[in-house]
């Protein structure tokens, strides 16, 4: 079970924020923020990117206003950064996440 949550926007779409283990198996945790039509589609997008088995149950850590703004202004609608990063670290597009071990 992953720690995360969601927020429904007035337009009906949702923002899902979830903390998952780094896909390269480095022992780090990344926080992913996804903009989608509904929670199921957001989780499907993550599954298609290799985050298999990610499930969102509950709303323990919903996206912050900073995360919502960042994902809405990104053309892909999918961003990430290290889970323990401070607010000064920028958000990264999902294409920069190294999903394979070196």
């Amino acid at each position: 079970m992953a720690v995360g949550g969601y927020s429904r926007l007035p337009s009906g779409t949702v923002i899902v924020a979830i903390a998952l283990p780094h896909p390269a198996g480095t022992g780090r945790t990344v926080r992913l923020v996804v903009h989608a039509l509904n929670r199921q589609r957001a989780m499907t997008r993550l599954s298609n990117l290799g985050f298999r088995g990610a499930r969102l149950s509950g709303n323990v850590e919903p996206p912050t206003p900073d995360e919502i703004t960042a994902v809405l202004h990104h053309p892909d609608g999918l961003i990430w950064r290290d889970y323990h990063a401070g607010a000064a670290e920028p958000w990264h597009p999902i294409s920069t996440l190294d999903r394979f071990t070196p």
Side-chain angles (χ1 to χ4, degrees):
M1 200 78 53
V3 176
Y6 67 95
S7 181
R8 185 167 304 280
L9 300 177
S11 65
T13 61
V14 297
I15 306 291
V16 172
I18 190 166
L20 296 170
H22 195 284
T26 59
R28 294 183 357 210
T29 303
V30 293
R31 177 104 165 151
L32 297 150
V33 184
V34 185
H35 181 220
L37 291 176
N38 55 44
R39 283 185 296 164
Q40 294 80 11
R41 287 193 183 202
M43 299 311 289
T44 299
R45 287 186 73 186
L46 291 175
S47 178
N48 290 342
L49 290 169
F51 294 98
R52 308 255 186 242
R55 285 188 18 201
L56 182 64
S57 178
N59 202 12
V60 177
E61 286 186 20
T64 64
D66 171 52
E67 292 172 333
I68 292 172
T69 301
V71 77
L72 288 176
H73 285 90
H74 195 274
D76 293 338
L78 184 54
I79 55 176
W80 74 277
R81 77 172 164 196
D82 192 61
Y83 183 70
H84 299 291
E89 183 179 334
W91 289 95
H92 309 285
I94 195 66
S95 61
T96 64
L97 183 62
D98 183 20
R99 289 184 277 279
F100 306 102
T101 55

